[in-house]
């Protein structure tokens, strides 16, 4: 089983012009811009390990895995072999008619990965599917328990839970919600984000900060009527909307206590921050809580197949089993055998190659380099994250933490500059982390098997791109 720790030799080589082993004539054939993902996007012809190769000869180091997806890098032949072997047996089977071995094995593996604290698994195709499923299961759970009045969901500002109408309704990201506001669900309500960089009072300790957050959530329950709340949904480490923002110690425990006091479910959305991205397979392991429902995605299949899942905790599963109820949910590609085979292989690689330990070690290296190189930059307000999940927030004024005008699109400019020569690094940009659509950040989320040299190359490209953007603006 091969490791894709890039060697110095790999990092020094340009794109081969004629690599018959990796690029077929179809791979390198020109393609009409109208068939690409969008006008003006660079055209990718192949990827291997931590590197992306474009049709113009440029090689870019993948510093973000797309959207925190490519967790074991690109071009893993062992994963391709596993999914191909399954496709040769049968590529598709309806979940409504048959069980299949890969889906069963992946489900068992996921349950075992939680130490049995989660009890059921529904394998899906995207994080949005999983969140939508969690909403529907929360609703049905309370129908089964005789509490049909529980129809309200509580989420947070500066959050993002998906692109479907239901999951977008839960999201607190202003720009992503904006065009669809008139058709979003009305039974969703929000409390403020857990953002110590912008919300902590001077000298305020964690316990006091958490107590304020707990009181705000408890007040929202009272405002809505505690008996009407079905669930609270939160990301343990907020991804794209807030920029790799970990929960303050004790915060998620306090949230869970409020939920339990009022009989509501706790849903943890780990689509972006889970499956090893923050150093443990499940982010809640670091928080001392176990959710009632959990969503995972992105790092589950590592981009080799569109994989996500809804994990069901004992509280909900026990009622389902005792009453003989069936979740009224399903879609065409649920429990897809090829998806499950690929995802299972990705997870086996993470375990067999001890990549979670590497996430911890290289995450500390990444943090150290970012703080050394950017901590004193006058336009870097905050550097935050966990594991291999880090963000840099930009500000107009470091002292007041005033964000840039959104029209300047600072984070987007940094992303675009970083992708160009001589920087040659892909990062993920976001806007809105300061609230109300304001605030710019970039996210750095390399593969779990990145070595120290890869981390240093990423940081070097990021820093030079940031410096170039702000030198232009000065």
């Amino acid at each position: 089983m091969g490791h894709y720790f890039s060697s110095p030799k790999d990092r020094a080589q340009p794109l081969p012009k004629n690599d018959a082993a990796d690029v077929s004539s179809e791979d390198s054939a020109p393609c009409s811009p109208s068939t690409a993902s969008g006008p003006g996007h660079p055209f990718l012809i192949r990827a291997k390990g931590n590197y992306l190769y474009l049709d113009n000869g440029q090689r870019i180091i993948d510093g973000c895995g797309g959207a925190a997806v490519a967790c074991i890098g690109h071009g893993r032949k062992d994963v391709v072999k596993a999914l191909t072997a399954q496709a040769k047996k049968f590529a598709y089977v309806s979940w409504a008619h048959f069980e299949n071995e890969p889906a069963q094995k992946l489900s068992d593996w996921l349950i075992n990965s939680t130490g049995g604290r989660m009890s059921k698994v529904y394998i899906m195709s995207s994080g949005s599917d999983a969140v939508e499923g969690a909403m529907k299961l929360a609703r049905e759970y309370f129908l089964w328990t005789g509490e049909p009045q529980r129809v309200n969901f509580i989420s947070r500002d500066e959050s993002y839970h998906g692109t479907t109408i239901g999951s977008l309704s839960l999201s607190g990201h202003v720009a992503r919600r904006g065009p669809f506001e008139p058709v979003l669900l009305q039974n969703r309500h929000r409390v403020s984000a857990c953002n110590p960089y912008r919300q902590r009072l001077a000298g305020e300790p964690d316990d006091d900060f958490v107590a304020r957050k707990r009181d705000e959530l408890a007040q929202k329950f009272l405002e809505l009527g505690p008996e009407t709340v079905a669930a609270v949904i939160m990301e343990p480490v907020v991804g794209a909307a807030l920029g790799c923002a970990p929960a303050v110690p004790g915060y998620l425990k306090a949230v869970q206590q409020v939920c339990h006091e009022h009989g509501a479910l706790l849903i943890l959305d780990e689509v972006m921050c889970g499956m090893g991205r923050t150093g443990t397979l499940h982010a809640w392991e670091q928080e001392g809580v176990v959710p009632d429902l959990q969503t995972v995605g992105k790092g589950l299949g590592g981009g080799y197949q569109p994989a996500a899942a809804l994990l069901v905790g004992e509280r909900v599963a026990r009622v389902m089993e005792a009453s003989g109820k069936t979740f009224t949910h399903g879609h065409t590609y649920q429990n897809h055998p090829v998806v499950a085979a690929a995802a299972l292989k990705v997870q086996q690689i993470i375990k067999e190659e001890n990549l979670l330990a590497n996430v911890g070690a290289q995450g500390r290296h990444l943090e150290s380099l970012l703080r050394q190189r950017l901590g004193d930059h006058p336009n870097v307000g905050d550097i935050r994250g966990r594991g291999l999940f880090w963000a840099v927030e930009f500000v107009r004024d470091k002292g007041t933490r005033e964000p840039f005008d959104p029209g300047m699109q600072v984070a987007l400019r940094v992303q675009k500059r970083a992708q160009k020569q001589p920087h040659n690094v892909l990062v993920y940009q976001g806007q809105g982390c300061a609230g109300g659509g304001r605030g710019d950040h970039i996210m750095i989320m390399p593969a779990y098997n990145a070595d120290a040299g890869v981390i240093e190359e990423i940081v070097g490209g990021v820093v030079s791109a940031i410096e170039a953007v702000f030198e232009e603006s000065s």
Side-chain angles (χ1 to χ4, degrees), residues 300-324:
L300 177 60
Y304 288 88
Q305 286 287 288
L310 168 62
L311 280 62
V312 183
E314 183 181 353
R315 174 182 172 186
V316 176
R318 186 171 59 243
V319 169
M320 292 179 73
E321 292 164 8
S323 60

Side-chain angles (χ1 to χ4, degrees), residues 15 46 67 75 179 189 235 305 328:
L15 170 66
R46 74 180 182 104
H189 311 271
E235 302 161 88
Q305 286 287 288
T328 311

Side-chain angles (χ1 to χ4, degrees), residues 52-254:
L52 309 170
Y53 298 89
L54 306 187
D55 63 348
N56 63 2
Q58 186 184 2
R59 188 196 64 176
I60 297 173
I61 189 165
D62 189 351
C64 63
V69 174
C71 62
I72 59 169
H74 303 276
R76 293 287 305 230
K77 293 181 180 179
D78 39 7
V79 182
V80 175
K81 182 179 179 180
L83 67 89
T84 302
Q86 177 54 46
K88 287 179 179 178
K89 294 178 183 177
F90 55 90
Y92 170 75
V93 62
S94 169
W95 66 272
H97 295 95
F98 300 100
E99 299 289 347
N100 70 81
E101 185 180 22
Q104 189 174 64
K105 284 186 173 180
L106 179 61
S107 297
D108 290 345
W109 189 92
L110 284 168
I111 289 169
N112 289 337
S113 76
T114 71
R117 288 172 286 188
M118 307 302 282
S119 303
K120 285 180 79 72
V121 172
Y122 296 91
I123 300 168
M124 301 181 181
S125 301
S126 75
S128 297
D129 291 341
V131 170
E132 199 85 8
M135 294 177 69
K136 292 173 68 178
L137 184 52
R139 169 60 181 162
E140 274 208 305
Y141 169 77
F142 287 112
L143 292 178
W144 301 333
T145 59
E147 299 179 84
Q149 77 283 358
R150 288 189 181 268
V151 297
N152 288 316
F153 289 83
I154 299 174
S155 59
R156 297 185 295 187
D157 295 331
E158 292 83 63
S159 62
Y160 183 63
H161 297 290
T163 191
T164 58
I165 291 297
S167 59
L168 186 60
S169 296
L170 295 181
S171 303
H173 191 278
V174 173
R176 298 188 188 194
R177 290 173 56 91
F180 312 103
E181 200 72 55
V183 298
L184 297 182
L185 304 180
Q186 299 303 305
N187 61 330
R188 78 293 179 272
H189 311 271
R190 293 194 297 277
V191 292
S192 64
C194 181
N195 185 352
Y197 173 64
R198 294 195 170 275
Q199 298 166 345
R200 193 192 295 271
L201 303 176
E204 184 178 38
D206 285 347
D207 288 350
D208 291 351
F209 182 76
V210 168
R212 285 201 292 120
K213 292 294 173 184
R214 186 191 188 284
D215 290 346
E216 180 189 4
L217 179 61
Q219 185 58 43
K220 181 61 70 174
F221 268 83
L222 294 176
E223 174 190 321
L224 298 172
E227 73 286 351
T228 73
V229 178
V232 173
I233 181 168
M234 295 182 171
E235 302 161 88
V237 183
V238 185
L242 196 54
C244 304
V248 170
Y251 171 76
L252 284 179
K253 275 191 174 182

